[in-house]
Amino acid sequence: MAEWNTKISVHKDGKSIIRGYELEELVGKISFASMVSLLLKSSLPTPGEEKVINAILVSSAEHRLNVSSIVAARSIASTGNSLNASIAGGVLALGELHGGAIEGLARILQENTEEASEIVSSYKANKKRIPGFGHKVYSTDPRTQKLFEIAKSEGVFGKNCEKALKIESELEKQSGKKLCLNVDGAIAALITDMGFSWRTANAFFIVPRTLGISAHVVEEFESGKPVRVLREEEVEYSGELNKKL
Ligand SMILES: CC(C)(COP(=O)(O)OP(=O)(O)OC[C@H]1O[C@@H](n2cnc3c(N)ncnc32)[C@H](O)[C@@H]1OP(=O)(O)O)[C@@H](O)C(=O)NCCC(=O)NCCS
């Protein structure tokens, strides 16, 4: 076997083949959501899955300016960097607490066979946060509600979505706080019900949010202030003054 082996794509006899299909056959015939399934799961989605994947992509593409990834990307764009450097910087600001919690919950749902109550109590005992729950502005994430509504009507809402909702109620019961199943958590449950591996999970946020980041970077180029910095009143110095050598 060659050192670099792939089952994803090849250019052969003048044709590009993607997961077995000729690229020219796919173009104009399948949606971007179907392409996501073909690339990340090696198979085309059912019509219901296609609608849910499309809804996931739309729900994650953009939210607001004041999130870490957009602030990072726009700051980088404001100091004379290129589109690709600014987008890369925004993507690097995604992490376990912002846009990157999908993987954590998808892994729990795919590997942890414990009951919801046991999962919550062991995270609490270890003083860890359960990925996919809680939100800075929402006590109920409307994106979760909408995605689950679509999934139910398309027959995609399955046992992993139910388990994620059980974890949400257990978390409230055991911590006394409403920590909602957020959009990352909802996506984790949905992709698990559709058979995607947890290793693909964060791509369901990174791919669409790259589009939102791109729009912000272009807006920054066209109408932003050069060299973005925090205002003086937003920064507090708590170190020492007047030290002598
Ligand atoms: C998203 C998040 C950063 C929002 O945080 P926040 O609203 O600013 O809340 P705080 O960080 O102030 O936490 C408030 C309390 O809730 C707890 N908490 C918050 N999210 C929790 C979670 N997912 N699991 C368990 N406890 C959680 C905190 O430990 C804290 O407890 P304390 O008051 O006893 O110290 C937070 O909920 C979180 O870390 N979630 C997990 C990661 C995640 O899903 N990110 C994707 C967001 S779309």
Side-chain angles (χ1 to χ4, degrees), residues 111-169:
E111 293 186 345
N112 189 331
T113 53
E114 291 174 324
E115 293 295 320
S117 59
E118 294 167 309
I119 292 173
V120 174
S121 45
S122 76
Y123 266 77
K124 282 201 73 62
N126 292 313
K127 296 198 182 336
K128 279 166 66 184
R129 291 174 181 221
I130 309 182
F133 297 88
H135 198 273
K136 282 221 175 283
V137 293
Y138 296 134
S139 56
T140 302
D141 193 328
R143 299 165 297 182
T144 296
Q145 289 185 314
K146 188 72 193 180
L147 286 175
F148 278 5
E149 193 185 300
I150 296 165
K152 278 178 186 159
S153 71
E154 296 301 329
V156 170
F157 186 96
K159 64 178 188 347
N160 292 288
C161 291
E162 274 162 15
K163 187 160 182 186
L165 289 173
K166 273 193 198 135
I167 297 175
E168 183 188 43
S169 10

Side-chain angles (χ1 to χ4, degrees), residues 187-208:
I187 296 170
L190 287 166
I191 64 160
T192 301
D193 275 331
M194 289 188 283
F196 288 91
S197 154
W198 62 265
R199 288 192 188 277
T200 69
N202 285 349
F204 284 87
F205 193 91
I206 297 166
V207 170

Side-chain angles (χ1 to χ4, degrees), residues 6-228:
T6 180
K7 293 185 174 65
I8 301 170
S9 58
V10 68
H11 191 77
K12 205 171 164 46
D13 303 329
K15 288 177 177 151
S16 285
I17 309 290
I18 316 286
R19 297 276 193 212
Y21 297 95
E22 275 183 35
L23 181 55
E24 291 83 339
E25 273 289 295
L26 299 172
V27 176
K29 284 208 185 123
I30 71 161
S31 63
F32 188 66
S34 296
M35 194 65 169
V36 167
S37 178
L38 185 61
L39 283 172
L40 296 182
K41 202 176 63 173
S42 310
S43 62
L44 290 167
T46 63
E49 287 170 347
E50 183 188 357
K51 283 202 183 119
V52 172
I53 295 168
N54 189 49
I56 289 173
L57 297 174
V58 172
S59 73
S60 302
E62 177 56 11
H63 194 221
R64 56 193 175 131
L65 186 153
N66 53 330
V67 293
S68 314
S69 52
I70 305 297
V71 172
R74 291 187 76 131
S75 301
I76 293 167
S78 78
T79 54
N81 286 295
S82 63
L83 182 74
N84 58 335
S86 308
I87 293 172
V91 170
L92 288 175
L94 298 172
E96 280 181 14
L97 304 184
H98 167 43
I102 310 174
E103 179 179 303
L105 184 61
R107 191 167 189 184
I108 293 173
L109 293 170
Q110 290 173 30
E111 293 186 345
N112 189 331
T113 53
E114 291 174 324
E115 293 295 320
S117 59
E118 294 167 309
I119 292 173
V120 174
S121 45
S122 76
Y123 266 77
K124 282 201 73 62
N126 292 313
K127 296 198 182 336
K128 279 166 66 184
R129 291 174 181 221
I130 309 182
F133 297 88
H135 198 273
K136 282 221 175 283
V137 293
Y138 296 134
S139 56
T140 302
D141 193 328
R143 299 165 297 182
T144 296
Q145 289 185 314
K146 188 72 193 180
L147 286 175
F148 278 5
E149 193 185 300
I150 296 165
K152 278 178 186 159
S153 71
E154 296 301 329
V156 170
F157 186 96
K159 64 178 188 347
N160 292 288
C161 291
E162 274 162 15
K163 187 160 182 186
L165 289 173
K166 273 193 198 135
I167 297 175
E168 183 188 43
S169 10
E170 269 301 323
L171 198 50
E172 184 170 4
K173 202 157 52 172
Q174 293 190 30
S175 65
K177 284 185 216 105
K178 172 85 172 113
L179 293 161
C180 65
L181 178 64
N182 59 43
V183 70
D184 285 25
I187 296 170
L190 287 166
I191 64 160
T192 301
D193 275 331
M194 289 188 283
F196 288 91
S197 154
W198 62 265
R199 288 192 188 277
T200 69
N202 285 349
F204 284 87
F205 193 91
I206 297 166
V207 170
R209 188 51 64 94
T210 300
L211 182 61
I213 294 172
S214 306
H216 279 280
V217 169
V218 170
E219 188 178 70
E220 192 64 35
F221 286 151
E222 290 179 349
S223 57
K225 280 168 71 171
V227 191
R228 291 276 187 190

